[in-house]
Amino acid sequence: MAEAEEKEPVSMEESTDESEEDESEEEPKLKYERLTNGVSEILQKDVASCMTVHEKFLALGTHYGKVYLLDVQGNITQKFDVSQVKINQISLDESGEHMGICSEDGKVQVCGLYSGEEFLETFDCPIKIVAVHPQFVKSPCKQFVTGGKKLLLYDKNWMNRWKPSVLHEGEGNIRNVKWRGHLIAWANNMGVKILDMISKQRITNVPRDNISLRPDMYPCSLCWKDNLTLIIGWGNSVKICSVKERHASEMRDLPSRYVEIVFQFETEFYISGLAPLCDQLVILSYVKEISEKTETECCARPRLDIIQPLPESFEEISSDALTVRGFQENECRDYHLEYSEGESLFYIISPRDVVVAKERDQDDHIDWLLEKKKYEEALMAAEISQKTIKKHKILDIGLAYINHLMEKRDYDLAARKCQKILGKNTDLWEFEVYKFKEIGQLKAISPYLPRRDPILKPLIYEMVLHEFLESDYEGFATLIKEWPGDLYNNAIIVQAVVDHLKKDPQNRTLLRTLAELYTYDQRYGKALEIYLTLRHKDVFQLIHKHNLFSSIRDKIVLLMDFDSEKAVDMLLDNEAKISIDKVVEELENRPELQHVYLHKLFKRDHHKGQRYHEKQISLYAEYDRPNLLPFLRDSTHCPLEKALEICQQRNFVEETVYLLSRMGNSRSALKMIMEELHDVDKAIEFAKEQDDGELWEDLILYSIDKPPFITGLLNNIGTHVDPILLIHRIKEGMEIPNLRDSLVKILQDYNLQILLREGCKKILVADSLSLLKKMHRTQMKGVLVDEENICESCLSPILPSDASKSISVMVFHCRHMFHKDCLPVPNTAFPVQFCNICSAKHRGPGSAILEMKK
C-alpha cells in the first residue's frame, strides 16, 4: 500500500483524429506512473541526462556529473561522483555487476559494482557513448567500446592491461552504440554500422535518410530486439534490420553475414527512443505544434505510440500524449526511452522527469471499464480473472452495476442481476429491496426474490405482497401461487385480502387467492367453500391432497354440477370414504346425475351396484336409451319382468325383443320383429342366434305371402334350412324381386358346400393314409430283445441264461414279450394271436410304446 502511495500517476491523453466520443471508447494499452522517492529528490536539484535499466536496478546519470543507482521504486541505493559535467552514457553488462560511464569532459570509467576492478581514462574530447561487453563478467570478455570522434575497442590482455584499437573513424562523432551478443551497432553522422566481433568485419552500413536534420539535435535511436534483429529510429524514419548468414557459395571476399531491412516506414513525428513489445514497437516521439496564442512553433507533450510494423507502413495500435515536467522547454535529444525486457517496463526519461510505462493488467482493464460505465463487461472480466485481480472485488463491481442500472431506470435488469450478484447474502438482499421500495419499484424485484437458501425476513415478502395487493390483483395472485406459504405471515396477508374483499366481495381473483391462503393455513373447509362457489378446477385436487371427503358429503350435488365426470371418478375411486348408498341418497332429487354416477359404477363393476339395477332401468329409459340394451345384456341382477314392463310402456322394440327372447318367448320376439320392425334381416339374424327349427318354420309361414321377405330368406336361409322347404311353399305366379339372383346364390352356396365337403374328404383321406404309413413303418421296425426283458406271463427272463438252448419268443407290436409256451393255444378257427395284456385292457397295438414314452 505504501508503494502505491509513493507512485504518482501521470496524466495521459489519448490522441486520435476521431471524435472525443470515439476516443473514449478505445482502451489504452499502457499505464503510466511517475518515478518518485529518490528520483524526485535528485531532479529537484539536478537534471537527468541518461539512464540505463537492469532487471535488478536502475542507473541514472545527471548533468552535474553524478550517477545514482536506484531500486525499481526510485529509491537511491548508491551514488557516484564521476565528473562535474554531464554524464553522456551509462552501460551495464547482463549480470548487472559491471558498469561503464562516460561524460562530456572526456572521462570514461568502467568499474565493478561488487569488486575493486576499475578502468579510468580521460580523453581530450567529449565521449558520447560507452558500451561494455554483455558478458563482461566472464574473463575472456573483458571488453568495452567508447565513442567520441572515434569508435575505440578496449580489450584487456593477458598482462591485465587495457589495449585500445580503433574500430571506426572519419565520419564524425559516434552518437550511439548498442552491443548485443557478438554484434556491435553504432551510429555516426553518416549512418548506422554493424560490426561482427567474431570475424572482426563490418557487415553493413545503413545510411541516414534525412541528412537535413542535425545529428546532435535529432540523435539516432538503436535497439536490439534479439541477437539478430536491430531496430533503428532516426528523425522520422524507422528501419528494422535482420542479420542473416550468407550462403557459402556467395561469400567469396564478402563477410559471412549480411543485413536485410525487413521493415521500413516513416512516422509523423521525430523519434526520441524505441523499444520492442512482442511483435510490436513502442516509439517515444518528440512533437512540435503551432501555438494558438502566438501562432509560432512550440514543443508539445511527447507521445508514446505502440505500432504494428508492416513491410512499408505501420498500423497504430495506441498513442498517448504524456504530461512530463518541463516538456515546453525540451528538445528531441532530451528524451530517452529505456526498457526492461523481462517485465515489459518502459522508462521515459526527460530532464526533469522519469515516467514508467507498463502494460495494463486486469485490474487496470476493469478500472477502465468502470470508468466508461461498462459494468457488464467489468463484471464478466472480474469473474474470469477473480484469482489474479488484487484491487477489485466481484461483489463491489456488481453492486455498482445494480446502482448504475437503477440510475438508468432499467429496473427489471437491475432486479434480475440481483440474483447473480447478491447470491445468498441476506443483508444485501434486504438492503436492495428497500432501495427498490424507496423508488416504488418493488414489483420489478418481486420475481427474483430468493425463496429458498436464503430466505429473507417475512417483512420483506409481506411488503412486496401489500404492494401488489394495492395495485395488481393478478400479480398478487401469481405471487401467492408461486411463493411457499412459509415465507410470510399468512394471517396478516389473509386479513389484508379479507379487507379488500369487503370493498369488492365478488372479485374472483381475490376469492381464489384467499382460498389458496386458507389452504396454506390448513383451513381446508373454508378453502373448499370458496372453490365450490367459484367452481374452480382445483377443488378436486384440494379434496384429494388434503383428504376432505368428510367435508363434501353434503356437497356432492355441487361437485356433480361443476364437473360430473371428475366428480364421479373421484367418488368411485374413494368408495370406502363415501359409500355408494350415500352418493345415491344425496343425488335422489337429481336423477340425471344419479344416472351418471350409477352408469359409471356399472361400467366399472357389474355387481357392486346390483341393488340399484332395477332403478337404473328407469334411469336408462329416461336419460340414456342407447345404453339401455347393453345394460340389459350385461346385467344379471335386473328384474326382467320390470324391465319388460317399462320397455313395453315406452314402446322400446329392440329392448322388448331382447327381453322376450331372454325370457324364453322367442316366438313373440320374432313376431315383434316381423310386425313392429318389418326387418327380415333382423328376423333372420334372430332365428340364427336361437337356432330353433320351429322359429324358422314361423318365419317362413310369416314371410310366405311377402315377396321382399321371401327374397331375404332365399339369400340367407341356405346354410341353416333346406331352401327346398321354402321354394315348395311359394305360390305359383307370385312375383318375387331378384328371384333369379337369389336362386343363383342358393346354387352357389350349395356348390360351395359340396366343394368344402370334397376338400375335407381329401384332407381326411390324405391324413389317414399318412398315419397308416407311419404306423406301418413303426410296426416294421425291429425290436431289441435282451437279458433285461421278461416274459409278461411267467415274469422270468425272456432269454435263457444258457445261450446254447433254443427257445421260442413272441413279441407283439405293443412291445409286450412272451415265451411261446406261456401263451394259450390259438383257436384253430381264428389262428391270429393277440397280446393277452392289451386284449384284456382293450388297447390297440402300439399303446405300450406310448406308455413308455410317458
Side-chain angles (χ1 to χ4, degrees), residues 467-486:
E467 177 81 11
F468 274 92
L469 190 56
E470 293 297 329
S471 57
D472 183 2
Y473 288 161
E474 290 294 337
F476 174 75
T478 301
L479 288 184
I480 293 296
K481 184 176 290 186
E482 292 178 352
W483 284 1
D486 57 353

Side-chain angles (χ1 to χ4, degrees), residues 303-466:
R303 309 189 71 82
L304 193 68
D305 300 335
I306 299 176
I307 65 169
Q308 178 67 56
L310 301 174
E312 295 183 358
S313 63
F314 65 92
E315 178 185 356
E316 185 179 276
I317 306 301
S318 71
S319 180
D320 302 329
L322 308 179
T323 304
V324 298
R325 295 187 180 105
F327 70 87
Q328 300 90 342
E329 303 169 1
N330 294 339
E331 298 291 340
C332 182
R333 64 183 176 181
D334 295 326
Y335 294 109
H336 305 281
L337 179 65
E338 299 290 338
Y339 74 100
S340 175
E341 292 186 33
E343 302 177 18
S344 294
L345 296 175
F346 303 92
Y347 293 84
I348 298 96
I349 302 100
S350 70
R352 293 291 182 185
D353 222 345
V354 177
V355 175
V356 184
K358 61 178 68 175
E359 287 189 276
R360 296 168 64 86
D361 57 19
Q362 201 65 11
D363 278 310
D364 300 313
H365 175 59
I366 293 171
D367 275 333
W368 184 83
L369 291 172
L370 292 175
E371 181 185 339
K372 300 303 177 184
K373 300 188 182 302
K374 298 182 177 183
Y375 293 94
E376 179 76 24
E377 295 177 37
L379 187 60
M380 188 181 302
E383 288 171 350
I384 293 171
S385 307
Q386 57 182 327
K387 293 183 179 179
T388 58
I389 56 175
K390 301 174 182 177
K391 180 179 176 183
H392 295 282
K393 294 181 180 178
I394 294 175
L395 181 59
D396 294 338
I397 298 171
L399 292 174
Y401 185 23
I402 293 172
N403 292 334
H404 171 69
L405 291 171
M406 293 177 73
E407 290 172 5
K408 286 175 58 182
R409 300 179 182 275
D410 193 348
Y411 303 116
D412 183 69
L413 183 56
R416 201 180 321 141
K417 292 299 176 183
C418 285
Q419 277 188 312
K420 178 180 178 181
I421 294 167
L422 304 183
K424 298 181 180 181
N425 192 321
T426 54
D427 293 336
L428 286 176
W429 266 110
E430 291 169 7
F431 179 75
E432 291 298 327
V433 171
Y434 279 111
K435 283 172 60 177
F436 275 85
K437 182 182 184 326
E438 289 173 6
I439 57 177
Q441 291 296 329
L442 280 176
K443 287 184 180 180
I445 200 171
S446 64
Y448 309 106
L449 287 177
R451 304 169 192 179
R452 283 284 179 272
D453 194 25
I455 295 178
L456 309 182
K457 294 176 182 176
L459 179 62
I460 299 295
Y461 301 101
E462 292 163 14
M463 188 167 62
V464 174
L465 289 172
H466 278 292

Side-chain angles (χ1 to χ4, degrees), residues 680-732:
V680 67
D681 293 329
K682 202 170 192 71
I684 293 169
E685 190 66 32
F686 180 76
K688 287 179 180 180
E689 289 176 1
Q690 301 300 317
D691 197 20
D692 185 349
E694 293 183 359
L695 275 184
W696 283 109
E697 185 67 26
D698 291 344
L699 180 56
I700 293 171
L701 290 175
Y702 182 82
S703 304
I704 204 64
D705 57 348
K706 300 177 181 63
F709 277 40
I710 293 174
T711 302
L713 284 171
L714 288 173
N715 287 335
N716 294 281
I717 203 173
T719 55
H720 291 78
V721 180
D722 189 353
I724 300 299
L725 296 176
L726 176 61
I727 294 170
H728 284 167
R729 296 187 185 187
I730 297 173
K731 297 177 181 179
E732 291 187 11

Side-chain angles (χ1 to χ4, degrees), residues 588-631:
E588 190 64 38
N589 295 325
R590 296 291 299 276
E592 73 281 6
L593 297 178
Q594 199 178 55
H595 165 69
V596 172
Y597 174 76
L598 290 173
H599 173 66
K600 204 76 174 276
L601 174 63
F602 181 76
K603 285 291 186 185
R604 287 199 179 190
D605 191 325
H606 293 347
H607 306 288
K608 274 191 177 179
Q610 60 185 5
R611 61 180 294 186
Y612 298 107
H613 283 197
E614 182 175 349
K615 178 189 279 289
Q616 282 186 268
I617 298 170
S618 301
L619 294 174
Y620 276 113
E622 183 68 29
Y623 302 108
D624 190 9
R625 187 192 167 184
N627 281 315
L628 174 56
L629 186 55
F631 170 74

Side-chain angles (χ1 to χ4, degrees), residues 6 11 29 68 87 121-122 146 159 208 272 281 315-316 340 376 536 637 652 661 685 700 749 813 825:
E6 291 173 355
S11 65
K29 303 297 180 184
Y68 298 90
I87 302 296
E121 182 75 41
T122 301
T146 63
M159 297 180 65
R208 180 159 62 106
S272 295
L281 287 183
E315 178 185 356
E316 185 179 276
S340 175
E376 179 76 24
H536 194 274
H637 304 287
F652 291 170
S661 65
E685 190 66 32
I700 293 171
D749 291 344
H813 291 297
V825 179

